[in-house]
Amino acid sequence: MAAINSATDLTRDGEIAVITLDSPPVNALSFNVRDGLYEGFKAAIADDAVKAIVLICAGRTFIAGADISEFGGAQKGASLFDVQAMMENSPKAVIAAIHGTALGGGLEVALTAHYRVAVPSAKCGLPEVNLGLLPGAGGTQRLPRIVGAQKALEMMTSGSHVPAKQCLEMGLVDSLAEEGKLLDGAVAFARKVLADKMPLNKVRERTVTADPQVFADFRKANARKFRGFKAPEANIKCVEASLLPFEEGIKVERALFMELMTGEQSAAQRYAFFAERQANKIPDVPADTPIIPVAKVGIIGAGTMGGGIAMNFLNVGIPVKIIETKQEALDRGLGVIRKNYENTAKRGRLTMDQVEQRMSLLSGSLALEDLADSDLVIEAIFENMAVKKEVFGKLDAIVKQGAILATNTSALDIDEIATAVKRPEAVIGLHFFSPANVMRLLEVVRADKTSKSVIATAMQLAKKIGKVAVLVGVCPGFVGNRMLFQRQAQAQRLVMEGAMPWDVDRVLFDFGFPMGPFAMSDLAGLDIGWNKETSKGETIRDQLCELDRRGQKTSAGYYDYDEKRTAIPSPVTEGIIKAFAQKQGLNQRDISDEEILERTVFPMINEGAKILEEGKAIRASDIDIVWINGYGWPVYRGGPMHYADSIGLKKVVERLKHYEAQMGDFFKPSPLLEKLAAEGKGFKDL
Ligand code: 3H9
């Protein structure tokens, strides 16, 4: 074996040269990888004994893309285009051998090979859109030339990882090799290319045609999904340009790539990519912390939360037992889970066999004693400290030692809950977000005495069930809701001062949230926590509920709703608000969109700074991950703390002080925020 450099080896199997790339963790195209590939191909082409060349990767995957951490830095070594030109123009057949994932620049490299061979478990994709980018190494021009415009649009704007079998059907892969025998399969394929004198396919030489209507329809169908994002439209424009001669299309790709790459959206999305991975790292919980095997899960409460939480575990094959106090509630809860799965099956995303298989892992009981052999118990009952403590006290006597005792509370003090048991080290918060089977965020709440093993297990388990976990500390509302309270308080206040609910909602919607706070309340139901018997019309919400305006479900809440559930500003709500303001002696005034945005978002940033000061989040980027994955913060603005950095903390402090002077302490900047702003720093510098 001849080493080309630290990342690349060149060997020969008879007349077939094998270039092996080995650059953990994911063989990203860093400068030494590009150099190694360039020199490797050059040497193989120059060797007269070589008739064909196989490119294969060591480790868990084929090339997963450009090295994102190198973006923005000065270019070193051979360019990716040099490598691709060397491969595509090679006078000897080049075969890319794919396992794991061929993503982004990785797939673009494979597309300059003359043939592609993959194992069945491999996947191919161009996920650049998720980093606010487009495939910038010819992928936008080569992919449509193989799979057609429609499929290219779908792949490039979703970033989906397409399984090898589907790639074969689309012509993206030429042949499948036996699982675990990729090198043999690729070398055999290379010999076949030689024996059959198969041509040196250059994808760039193909042409693609499409009706312009394809693009118009695609834009229309996805307008809602792409709202606010720049990258999807740029990707679509590139596919349109693939109908032009190759070199012209490449020029369009290059120009749009540079535009995205230097823009704020991609910077925010790349930041979020690394932030999500960073959130997994807990400084005082090392990677080798012992993990508690979780083979059986118990859940207390078969309501919406309990049922949703259960589905996460059933989906990955972990049996769940749900406990309720009444048979009727239990039957209802289990029935809802079945119905959810059946609906998924109706949409073609599960087979009925899979539904039955998942349901077979689910059981119910009315006796807490049946949780004795659970490895993890999650309590998901209503928010009442006394009741929760009673339940934990009972669990302590029932559940085997070594098990994890978790609460799904979104508001209560977990340290206090832990006083109900003799093993506080086993107690942790697992704060799922509703709907718990859909929402990606999981706040893992570390109480004073929670053990490192329990934390490490919770973080690992979260990944297994497809959640993005963020470790937070005990405080009212933890990280997400604590910051949300600030926004809600201002939203309510702004309405009393003269902005209407639809004004506040519009500003936050335009900022990029899926919906504003009032539309959100209507969706959730205004009567959550409202009591008809005790309601005295003391708040706007009380008065709306008393008029049976309880949100979307009654076709009226803050808004009126038509039969298509379109939200229409309501004169009734407006009247109630105005009367309230008058009673409180408030002079309503016009409020600018800028003020609405600053007063709802800046107090959140300030609260985030307080959370960091108190050590309730490990890092600012963890807070951003909470908001992106749990509260619909637009990922192209990178989360509240990244957003604050991007507009400058000096400005945030100035504006908070401006409102503090008018409205008092609520807006007082936290010492940390003031300090960073004074030093000209950002949260990124912490
Ligand atoms: C591109 O290609 C642009 C071109 O079109 C244009 C060129 C001109 N770079 O996710 P994991 C790190 S854009 C640098 O936990 P998994 C990651 O940070 C790129 N680092 O593993 C982590 O580090 P650490 C298009 C990368 O098994 C470690 O690898 N490609 C990159 O759950 C493990 O990652 C993509 O967008 C990278 N490209 O998932 C693919 N990728 O251990 C992005 C990963 O220090 N990557 N790292 O925290 C992925 O989707 C997943 O990482 C993958 C593995 C599916 C590959």
Side-chain angles (χ1 to χ4, degrees), residues 25-26 28-29 60-61 64-69 71 80-81 101 103-106 108 126-128 131 133-137 161 254 257 273-274 277-278 281 463:
V26 295
L29 292 158
R60 65 211 233 204
T61 181
D67 185 341
I68 310 166
S69 62
F71 285 179
L80 190 51
F81 305 102
T101 45
L103 298 178
E108 293 176 287
L126 292 176
E128 283 87 343
L131 300 168
L133 291 172
L134 54 83
H161 300 182
R254 204 68 235 137
F257 180 80
F273 175 86
F274 286 116
R277 280 146 185 89
Q278 186 77 0
K281 300 183 174 107
K463 197 165 181 191

mmCIF file of all heavy atoms in Angstrom, residues 25-26 28-29 60-61 64-69 71 80-81 101 103-106 108 126-128 131 133-137 161 254 257 273-274 277-278 281 463, ligand 1:
data_model
loop_
_atom_site.group_PDB
_atom_site.id
_atom_site.type_symbol
_atom_site.label_atom_id
_atom_site.label_comp_id
_atom_site.label_asym_id
_atom_site.label_seq_id
_atom_site.Cartn_x
_atom_site.Cartn_y
_atom_site.Cartn_z
ATOM 1 N N PRO A 25 -14.055 12.158 11.083
ATOM 2 C CA PRO A 25 -15.089 11.138 11.272
ATOM 3 C C PRO A 25 -15.897 10.823 10.010
ATOM 4 O O PRO A 25 -16.416 9.725 9.893
ATOM 5 C CB PRO A 25 -16.004 11.783 12.318
ATOM 6 C CG PRO A 25 -15.807 13.264 12.157
ATOM 7 C CD PRO A 25 -14.404 13.460 11.667
ATOM 8 N N VAL A 26 -15.978 11.756 9.040
ATOM 9 C CA VAL A 26 -16.938 11.523 7.950
ATOM 10 C C VAL A 26 -16.332 11.734 6.558
ATOM 11 O O VAL A 26 -17.041 11.930 5.576
ATOM 12 C CB VAL A 26 -18.216 12.396 8.122
ATOM 13 C CG1 VAL A 26 -18.995 12.001 9.358
ATOM 14 C CG2 VAL A 26 -17.896 13.888 8.140
ATOM 15 N N ALA A 28 -14.915 14.224 5.257
ATOM 16 C CA ALA A 28 -15.247 15.515 4.638
ATOM 17 C C ALA A 28 -14.064 16.009 3.807
ATOM 18 O O ALA A 28 -12.910 15.655 4.066
ATOM 19 C CB ALA A 28 -15.610 16.529 5.717
ATOM 20 N N LEU A 29 -14.380 16.830 2.804
ATOM 21 C CA LEU A 29 -13.375 17.220 1.798
ATOM 22 C C LEU A 29 -12.487 18.363 2.290
ATOM 23 O O LEU A 29 -12.454 19.449 1.697
ATOM 24 C CB LEU A 29 -14.082 17.629 0.504
ATOM 25 C CG LEU A 29 -14.787 16.473 -0.232
ATOM 26 C CD1 LEU A 29 -15.876 17.009 -1.156
ATOM 27 C CD2 LEU A 29 -13.762 15.662 -1.014
ATOM 28 N N ARG A 60 -16.967 4.971 8.590
ATOM 29 C CA ARG A 60 -18.417 4.746 8.583
ATOM 30 C C ARG A 60 -19.117 5.222 7.336
ATOM 31 O O ARG A 60 -20.287 4.907 7.124
ATOM 32 C CB ARG A 60 -19.047 5.393 9.809
ATOM 33 C CG ARG A 60 -18.956 6.906 9.842
ATOM 34 C CD ARG A 60 -18.880 7.349 11.279
ATOM 35 N NE ARG A 60 -19.876 8.345 11.612
ATOM 36 C CZ ARG A 60 -19.724 9.202 12.613
ATOM 37 N NH1 ARG A 60 -18.618 9.186 13.336
ATOM 38 N NH2 ARG A 60 -20.650 10.081 12.873
ATOM 39 N N THR A 61 -18.425 6.003 6.481
ATOM 40 C CA THR A 61 -19.173 6.596 5.380
ATOM 41 C C THR A 61 -18.301 7.001 4.191
ATOM 42 O O THR A 61 -17.096 7.209 4.337
ATOM 43 C CB THR A 61 -19.949 7.850 5.883
ATOM 44 O OG1 THR A 61 -20.697 8.407 4.798
ATOM 45 C CG2 THR A 61 -19.037 8.916 6.429
ATOM 46 N N ALA A 64 -18.881 12.786 3.222
ATOM 47 C CA ALA A 64 -20.145 13.405 3.667
ATOM 48 C C ALA A 64 -20.268 14.857 3.226
ATOM 49 O O ALA A 64 -21.178 15.554 3.660
ATOM 50 C CB ALA A 64 -20.274 13.301 5.176
ATOM 51 N N GLY A 65 -19.352 15.327 2.382
ATOM 52 C CA GLY A 65 -19.505 16.689 1.868
ATOM 53 C C GLY A 65 -18.247 17.507 2.028
ATOM 54 O O GLY A 65 -17.207 17.009 2.494
ATOM 55 N N ALA A 66 -18.353 18.778 1.641
ATOM 56 C CA ALA A 66 -17.256 19.705 1.887
ATOM 57 C C ALA A 66 -17.046 19.778 3.395
ATOM 58 O O ALA A 66 -17.943 19.442 4.167
ATOM 59 C CB ALA A 66 -17.622 21.077 1.332
ATOM 60 N N ASP A 67 -15.876 20.186 3.822
ATOM 61 C CA ASP A 67 -15.619 20.354 5.250
ATOM 62 C C ASP A 67 -16.203 21.703 5.666
ATOM 63 O O ASP A 67 -15.638 22.754 5.378
ATOM 64 C CB ASP A 67 -14.109 20.301 5.520
ATOM 65 C CG ASP A 67 -13.811 20.349 7.010
ATOM 66 O OD1 ASP A 67 -14.696 20.777 7.776
ATOM 67 O OD2 ASP A 67 -12.703 19.953 7.400
ATOM 68 N N ILE A 68 -17.340 21.641 6.345
ATOM 69 C CA ILE A 68 -18.075 22.877 6.653
ATOM 70 C C ILE A 68 -17.248 23.798 7.549
ATOM 71 O O ILE A 68 -17.369 25.015 7.479
ATOM 72 C CB ILE A 68 -19.427 22.550 7.337
ATOM 73 C CG1 ILE A 68 -20.191 21.495 6.528
ATOM 74 C CG2 ILE A 68 -20.300 23.790 7.458
ATOM 75 C CD1 ILE A 68 -21.361 20.866 7.265
ATOM 76 N N SER A 69 -16.394 23.181 8.374
ATOM 77 C CA SER A 69 -15.616 24.024 9.289
ATOM 78 C C SER A 69 -14.561 24.846 8.548
ATOM 79 O O SER A 69 -14.013 25.797 9.083
ATOM 80 C CB SER A 69 -14.953 23.163 10.370
ATOM 81 O OG SER A 69 -14.063 22.252 9.773
ATOM 82 N N PHE A 71 -15.248 26.487 5.747
ATOM 83 C CA PHE A 71 -15.916 27.542 4.984
ATOM 84 C C PHE A 71 -15.547 28.917 5.525
ATOM 85 O O PHE A 71 -15.472 29.112 6.733
ATOM 86 C CB PHE A 71 -17.446 27.395 5.044
ATOM 87 C CG PHE A 71 -17.981 26.276 4.185
ATOM 88 C CD1 PHE A 71 -19.332 26.000 4.156
ATOM 89 C CD2 PHE A 71 -17.136 25.507 3.408
ATOM 90 C CE1 PHE A 71 -19.843 24.971 3.383
ATOM 91 C CE2 PHE A 71 -17.632 24.474 2.631
ATOM 92 C CZ PHE A 71 -18.988 24.208 2.619
ATOM 93 N N LEU A 80 -11.569 21.557 -5.148
ATOM 94 C CA LEU A 80 -12.453 20.431 -5.442
ATOM 95 C C LEU A 80 -12.638 20.286 -6.955
ATOM 96 O O LEU A 80 -12.736 19.174 -7.488
ATOM 97 C CB LEU A 80 -13.797 20.666 -4.743
ATOM 98 C CG LEU A 80 -14.775 19.512 -4.713
ATOM 99 C CD1 LEU A 80 -14.111 18.246 -4.201
ATOM 100 C CD2 LEU A 80 -15.955 19.873 -3.817
ATOM 101 N N PHE A 81 -12.643 21.429 -7.633
ATOM 102 C CA PHE A 81 -12.838 21.402 -9.091
ATOM 103 C C PHE A 81 -11.651 20.731 -9.785
ATOM 104 O O PHE A 81 -11.814 20.030 -10.777
ATOM 105 C CB PHE A 81 -13.041 22.828 -9.631
ATOM 106 C CG PHE A 81 -14.169 23.522 -8.936
ATOM 107 C CD1 PHE A 81 -13.923 24.464 -7.951
ATOM 108 C CD2 PHE A 81 -15.492 23.184 -9.224
ATOM 109 C CE1 PHE A 81 -14.968 25.071 -7.279
ATOM 110 C CE2 PHE A 81 -16.539 23.780 -8.549
ATOM 111 C CZ PHE A 81 -16.275 24.730 -7.579
ATOM 112 N N THR A 101 -23.066 7.452 3.710
ATOM 113 C CA THR A 101 -23.781 8.510 2.994
ATOM 114 C C THR A 101 -22.826 9.252 2.052
ATOM 115 O O THR A 101 -21.735 9.624 2.457
ATOM 116 C CB THR A 101 -24.394 9.534 3.981
ATOM 117 O OG1 THR A 101 -23.418 9.847 4.969
ATOM 118 C CG2 THR A 101 -25.646 9.015 4.629
ATOM 119 N N LEU A 103 -22.825 12.595 0.505
ATOM 120 C CA LEU A 103 -23.625 13.806 0.668
ATOM 121 C C LEU A 103 -22.910 15.033 0.118
ATOM 122 O O LEU A 103 -21.674 15.131 0.183
ATOM 123 C CB LEU A 103 -23.923 14.048 2.147
ATOM 124 C CG LEU A 103 -24.747 12.977 2.871
ATOM 125 C CD1 LEU A 103 -24.906 13.337 4.346
ATOM 126 C CD2 LEU A 103 -26.105 12.795 2.219
ATOM 127 N N GLY A 104 -23.694 15.978 -0.375
ATOM 128 C CA GLY A 104 -23.158 17.266 -0.801
ATOM 129 C C GLY A 104 -21.965 17.093 -1.723
ATOM 130 O O GLY A 104 -22.008 16.329 -2.703
ATOM 131 N N GLY A 105 -20.862 17.766 -1.381
ATOM 132 C CA GLY A 105 -19.642 17.675 -2.187
ATOM 133 C C GLY A 105 -19.214 16.231 -2.409
ATOM 134 O O GLY A 105 -18.563 15.913 -3.407
ATOM 135 N N GLY A 106 -19.577 15.339 -1.476
ATOM 136 C CA GLY A 106 -19.239 13.921 -1.614
ATOM 137 C C GLY A 106 -19.961 13.304 -2.802
ATOM 138 O O GLY A 106 -19.360 12.611 -3.632
ATOM 139 N N GLU A 108 -21.159 15.028 -5.194
ATOM 140 C CA GLU A 108 -20.687 15.759 -6.379
ATOM 141 C C GLU A 108 -19.381 15.166 -6.906
ATOM 142 O O GLU A 108 -19.140 15.151 -8.107
ATOM 143 C CB GLU A 108 -20.519 17.249 -6.038
ATOM 144 C CG GLU A 108 -21.860 17.908 -5.748
ATOM 145 C CD GLU A 108 -21.712 19.354 -5.318
ATOM 146 O OE1 GLU A 108 -21.277 19.594 -4.183
ATOM 147 O OE2 GLU A 108 -22.019 20.236 -6.139
ATOM 148 N N LEU A 126 -28.095 15.646 -1.604
ATOM 149 C CA LEU A 126 -27.476 16.970 -1.695
ATOM 150 C C LEU A 126 -28.136 17.837 -0.621
ATOM 151 O O LEU A 126 -29.107 18.545 -0.898
ATOM 152 C CB LEU A 126 -27.665 17.552 -3.098
ATOM 153 C CG LEU A 126 -26.906 16.823 -4.223
ATOM 154 C CD1 LEU A 126 -27.240 17.403 -5.597
ATOM 155 C CD2 LEU A 126 -25.390 16.867 -3.994
ATOM 156 N N PRO A 127 -27.645 17.766 0.627
ATOM 157 C CA PRO A 127 -28.329 18.432 1.735
ATOM 158 C C PRO A 127 -27.902 19.880 1.958
ATOM 159 O O PRO A 127 -28.211 20.466 2.987
ATOM 160 C CB PRO A 127 -27.916 17.569 2.936
ATOM 161 C CG PRO A 127 -26.558 17.068 2.584
ATOM 162 C CD PRO A 127 -26.500 16.951 1.088
ATOM 163 N N GLU A 128 -27.199 20.475 0.980
ATOM 164 C CA GLU A 128 -26.682 21.835 1.182
ATOM 165 C C GLU A 128 -27.767 22.822 1.585
ATOM 166 O O GLU A 128 -27.524 23.764 2.330
ATOM 167 C CB GLU A 128 -25.986 22.329 -0.091
ATOM 168 C CG GLU A 128 -24.593 21.753 -0.322
ATOM 169 C CD GLU A 128 -24.590 20.419 -1.059
ATOM 170 O OE1 GLU A 128 -25.646 19.761 -1.122
ATOM 171 O OE2 GLU A 128 -23.526 20.039 -1.579
ATOM 172 N N LEU A 131 -28.046 23.860 4.988
ATOM 173 C CA LEU A 131 -27.005 24.760 5.496
ATOM 174 C C LEU A 131 -27.157 26.130 4.840
ATOM 175 O O LEU A 131 -26.242 26.948 4.854
ATOM 176 C CB LEU A 131 -25.610 24.192 5.175
ATOM 177 C CG LEU A 131 -25.285 22.826 5.768
ATOM 178 C CD1 LEU A 131 -24.017 22.254 5.148
ATOM 179 C CD2 LEU A 131 -25.129 22.926 7.276
ATOM 180 N N LEU A 133 -27.369 26.654 1.674
ATOM 181 C CA LEU A 133 -26.499 26.676 0.498
ATOM 182 C C LEU A 133 -27.130 25.924 -0.675
ATOM 183 O O LEU A 133 -28.256 25.463 -0.599
ATOM 184 C CB LEU A 133 -25.167 25.994 0.836
ATOM 185 C CG LEU A 133 -24.253 26.711 1.823
ATOM 186 C CD1 LEU A 133 -23.085 25.808 2.185
ATOM 187 C CD2 LEU A 133 -23.753 28.030 1.242
ATOM 188 N N LEU A 134 -26.343 25.785 -1.744
ATOM 189 C CA LEU A 134 -26.697 24.895 -2.840
ATOM 190 C C LEU A 134 -25.445 24.094 -3.178
ATOM 191 O O LEU A 134 -24.340 24.488 -2.801
ATOM 192 C CB LEU A 134 -27.214 25.695 -4.038
ATOM 193 C CG LEU A 134 -26.350 26.829 -4.599
ATOM 194 C CD1 LEU A 134 -25.283 26.347 -5.559
ATOM 195 C CD2 LEU A 134 -27.254 27.824 -5.331
ATOM 196 N N PRO A 135 -25.624 22.959 -3.847
ATOM 197 C CA PRO A 135 -24.442 22.173 -4.206
ATOM 198 C C PRO A 135 -23.567 23.011 -5.135
ATOM 199 O O PRO A 135 -24.016 23.405 -6.204
ATOM 200 C CB PRO A 135 -25.027 20.961 -4.936
ATOM 201 C CG PRO A 135 -26.472 20.921 -4.518
ATOM 202 C CD PRO A 135 -26.869 22.342 -4.301
ATOM 203 N N GLY A 136 -22.343 23.300 -4.706
ATOM 204 C CA GLY A 136 -21.532 24.275 -5.440
ATOM 205 C C GLY A 136 -20.405 23.653 -6.226
ATOM 206 O O GLY A 136 -19.492 24.357 -6.679
ATOM 207 N N ALA A 137 -20.415 22.343 -6.394
ATOM 208 C CA ALA A 137 -19.341 21.706 -7.162
ATOM 209 C C ALA A 137 -19.943 20.941 -8.338
ATOM 210 O O ALA A 137 -19.625 19.782 -8.588
ATOM 211 C CB ALA A 137 -18.530 20.790 -6.257
ATOM 212 N N HIS A 161 -31.912 12.211 2.123
ATOM 213 C CA HIS A 161 -30.910 11.175 1.869
ATOM 214 C C HIS A 161 -31.646 10.021 1.178
ATOM 215 O O HIS A 161 -32.463 9.347 1.798
ATOM 216 C CB HIS A 161 -30.291 10.679 3.165
ATOM 217 C CG HIS A 161 -29.588 11.762 3.953
ATOM 218 N ND1 HIS A 161 -28.930 11.511 5.130
ATOM 219 C CD2 HIS A 161 -29.428 13.081 3.720
ATOM 220 C CE1 HIS A 161 -28.401 12.638 5.596
ATOM 221 N NE2 HIS A 161 -28.707 13.615 4.753
ATOM 222 N N ARG A 254 -22.287 28.880 -9.707
ATOM 223 C CA ARG A 254 -21.168 29.540 -9.018
ATOM 224 C C ARG A 254 -21.624 30.862 -8.386
ATOM 225 O O ARG A 254 -21.355 31.154 -7.225
ATOM 226 C CB ARG A 254 -20.071 29.774 -10.044
ATOM 227 C CG ARG A 254 -18.661 29.919 -9.612
ATOM 228 C CD ARG A 254 -18.032 28.669 -9.045
ATOM 229 N NE ARG A 254 -17.509 28.951 -7.722
ATOM 230 C CZ ARG A 254 -17.634 28.157 -6.676
ATOM 231 N NH1 ARG A 254 -18.221 27.035 -6.734
ATOM 232 N NH2 ARG A 254 -17.142 28.471 -5.523
ATOM 233 N N PHE A 257 -24.096 30.285 -5.581
ATOM 234 C CA PHE A 257 -23.419 29.661 -4.440
ATOM 235 C C PHE A 257 -22.683 30.730 -3.621
ATOM 236 O O PHE A 257 -22.797 30.791 -2.393
ATOM 237 C CB PHE A 257 -22.432 28.585 -4.914
ATOM 238 C CG PHE A 257 -21.711 27.897 -3.781
ATOM 239 C CD1 PHE A 257 -22.325 26.891 -3.051
ATOM 240 C CD2 PHE A 257 -20.411 28.273 -3.434
ATOM 241 C CE1 PHE A 257 -21.674 26.265 -1.997
ATOM 242 C CE2 PHE A 257 -19.750 27.657 -2.372
ATOM 243 C CZ PHE A 257 -20.380 26.643 -1.655
ATOM 244 N N PHE A 273 -25.941 23.958 12.632
ATOM 245 C CA PHE A 273 -25.481 22.581 12.407
ATOM 246 C C PHE A 273 -24.485 22.180 13.498
ATOM 247 O O PHE A 273 -24.621 21.138 14.138
ATOM 248 C CB PHE A 273 -24.828 22.460 11.015
ATOM 249 C CG PHE A 273 -24.218 21.110 10.731
ATOM 250 C CD1 PHE A 273 -24.984 20.078 10.223
ATOM 251 C CD2 PHE A 273 -22.877 20.857 10.987
ATOM 252 C CE1 PHE A 273 -24.430 18.818 9.973
ATOM 253 C CE2 PHE A 273 -22.308 19.616 10.734
ATOM 254 C CZ PHE A 273 -23.088 18.591 10.229
ATOM 255 N N PHE A 274 -23.484 23.021 13.722
ATOM 256 C CA PHE A 274 -22.471 22.680 14.727
ATOM 257 C C PHE A 274 -23.038 22.826 16.145
ATOM 258 O O PHE A 274 -22.692 22.047 17.034
ATOM 259 C CB PHE A 274 -21.209 23.529 14.538
ATOM 260 C CG PHE A 274 -20.403 23.095 13.341
ATOM 261 C CD1 PHE A 274 -20.224 23.932 12.250
ATOM 262 C CD2 PHE A 274 -19.843 21.826 13.294
ATOM 263 C CE1 PHE A 274 -19.495 23.511 11.133
ATOM 264 C CE2 PHE A 274 -19.114 21.398 12.180
ATOM 265 C CZ PHE A 274 -18.943 22.245 11.100
ATOM 266 N N ARG A 277 -24.744 19.704 17.320
ATOM 267 C CA ARG A 277 -23.816 18.647 17.711
ATOM 268 C C ARG A 277 -23.102 18.986 19.025
ATOM 269 O O ARG A 277 -22.827 18.127 19.852
ATOM 270 C CB ARG A 277 -22.829 18.381 16.581
ATOM 271 C CG ARG A 277 -23.501 17.499 15.538
ATOM 272 C CD ARG A 277 -23.110 17.752 14.119
ATOM 273 N NE ARG A 277 -23.935 16.920 13.245
ATOM 274 C CZ ARG A 277 -25.112 17.303 12.746
ATOM 275 N NH1 ARG A 277 -25.609 18.500 13.016
ATOM 276 N NH2 ARG A 277 -25.820 16.479 11.982
ATOM 277 N N GLN A 278 -22.836 20.275 19.207
ATOM 278 C CA GLN A 278 -22.171 20.737 20.422
ATOM 279 C C GLN A 278 -23.045 20.470 21.655
ATOM 280 O O GLN A 278 -22.540 20.131 22.716
ATOM 281 C CB GLN A 278 -21.918 22.248 20.266
ATOM 282 C CG GLN A 278 -21.118 22.883 21.372
ATOM 283 C CD GLN A 278 -19.628 22.580 21.241
ATOM 284 O OE1 GLN A 278 -19.212 21.888 20.316
ATOM 285 N NE2 GLN A 278 -18.848 23.059 22.170
ATOM 286 N N LYS A 281 -22.483 17.649 24.004
ATOM 287 C CA LYS A 281 -21.246 17.524 24.799
ATOM 288 C C LYS A 281 -21.429 18.229 26.148
ATOM 289 O O LYS A 281 -21.669 19.426 26.198
ATOM 290 C CB LYS A 281 -20.078 18.107 24.008
ATOM 291 C CG LYS A 281 -19.922 17.349 22.684
ATOM 292 C CD LYS A 281 -18.740 17.799 21.863
ATOM 293 C CE LYS A 281 -18.602 16.884 20.650
ATOM 294 N NZ LYS A 281 -18.978 17.441 19.387
ATOM 295 N N LYS A 463 -31.040 10.788 21.431
ATOM 296 C CA LYS A 463 -30.549 10.649 20.058
ATOM 297 C C LYS A 463 -31.190 9.418 19.408
ATOM 298 O O LYS A 463 -31.608 9.456 18.255
ATOM 299 C CB LYS A 463 -29.018 10.539 20.058
ATOM 300 C CG LYS A 463 -28.443 10.799 18.698
ATOM 301 C CD LYS A 463 -26.954 11.070 18.686
ATOM 302 C CE LYS A 463 -26.564 11.341 17.231
ATOM 303 N NZ LYS A 463 -25.168 11.387 16.969
HETATM 304 C C1 3H9 B 1 -21.051 20.965 0.742
HETATM 305 O O1 3H9 B 1 -20.726 19.852 0.510
HETATM 306 C C2 3H9 B 1 -20.862 22.109 -0.207
HETATM 307 C C3 3H9 B 1 -20.482 21.684 -1.601
HETATM 308 O O2 3H9 B 1 -21.621 21.436 -2.385
HETATM 309 C C4 3H9 B 1 -19.769 22.821 -2.298
HETATM 310 C C5 3H9 B 1 -18.299 22.767 -2.309
HETATM 311 C C6 3H9 B 1 -17.659 23.851 -3.159
HETATM 312 N N1 3H9 B 1 -17.850 19.037 7.579
HETATM 313 O O3 3H9 B 1 -23.603 14.390 12.527
HETATM 314 P P1 3H9 B 1 -22.638 13.589 13.304
HETATM 315 C C7 3H9 B 1 -18.711 16.297 11.867
HETATM 316 S S1 3H9 B 1 -21.747 21.388 2.217
HETATM 317 C C8 3H9 B 1 -17.229 19.087 8.764
HETATM 318 O O4 3H9 B 1 -22.703 13.677 14.781
HETATM 319 P P2 3H9 B 1 -23.859 11.153 12.354
HETATM 320 C C9 3H9 B 1 -19.720 16.704 12.913
HETATM 321 O O5 3H9 B 1 -19.597 18.070 13.253
HETATM 322 C C10 3H9 B 1 -21.787 19.881 3.135
HETATM 323 N N2 3H9 B 1 -17.577 18.315 9.826
HETATM 324 O O6 3H9 B 1 -22.648 12.050 12.881
HETATM 325 C C11 3H9 B 1 -19.351 15.790 14.064
HETATM 326 O O7 3H9 B 1 -18.221 16.323 14.708
HETATM 327 P P3 3H9 B 1 -18.024 16.139 16.280
HETATM 328 C C12 3H9 B 1 -22.871 18.986 2.706
HETATM 329 C C13 3H9 B 1 -18.590 17.473 9.661
HETATM 330 O O8 3H9 B 1 -23.300 9.800 12.173
HETATM 331 C C14 3H9 B 1 -18.927 14.507 13.346
HETATM 332 O O9 3H9 B 1 -18.602 14.898 12.008
HETATM 333 N N3 3H9 B 1 -22.934 17.858 3.608
HETATM 334 C C15 3H9 B 1 -19.297 17.385 8.448
HETATM 335 O O10 3H9 B 1 -25.053 11.362 13.213
HETATM 336 C C16 3H9 B 1 -19.999 13.449 13.309
HETATM 337 O O11 3H9 B 1 -21.209 14.031 12.789
HETATM 338 C C17 3H9 B 1 -23.716 17.854 4.685
HETATM 339 O O12 3H9 B 1 -24.451 18.780 4.947
HETATM 340 C C18 3H9 B 1 -18.888 18.207 7.373
HETATM 341 N N4 3H9 B 1 -19.485 18.157 6.168
HETATM 342 O O13 3H9 B 1 -24.233 11.746 10.930
HETATM 343 C C19 3H9 B 1 -23.653 16.628 5.555
HETATM 344 N N5 3H9 B 1 -20.277 16.457 8.576
HETATM 345 O O14 3H9 B 1 -17.966 14.656 16.497
HETATM 346 C C20 3H9 B 1 -23.497 17.025 6.991
HETATM 347 C C21 3H9 B 1 -20.166 15.979 9.830
HETATM 348 O O15 3H9 B 1 -16.762 16.862 16.559
HETATM 349 N N6 3H9 B 1 -23.314 15.893 7.873
HETATM 350 N N7 3H9 B 1 -19.173 16.579 10.497
HETATM 351 O O16 3H9 B 1 -19.234 16.777 16.905
HETATM 352 C C22 3H9 B 1 -24.323 15.076 8.254
HETATM 353 O O17 3H9 B 1 -25.447 15.188 7.815
HETATM 354 C C23 3H9 B 1 -24.016 14.018 9.276
HETATM 355 O O18 3H9 B 1 -22.847 14.407 9.944
HETATM 356 C C24 3H9 B 1 -23.793 12.599 8.709
HETATM 357 C C25 3H9 B 1 -23.331 11.676 9.872
HETATM 358 C C26 3H9 B 1 -25.130 12.080 8.153
HETATM 359 C C27 3H9 B 1 -22.748 12.579 7.643
#
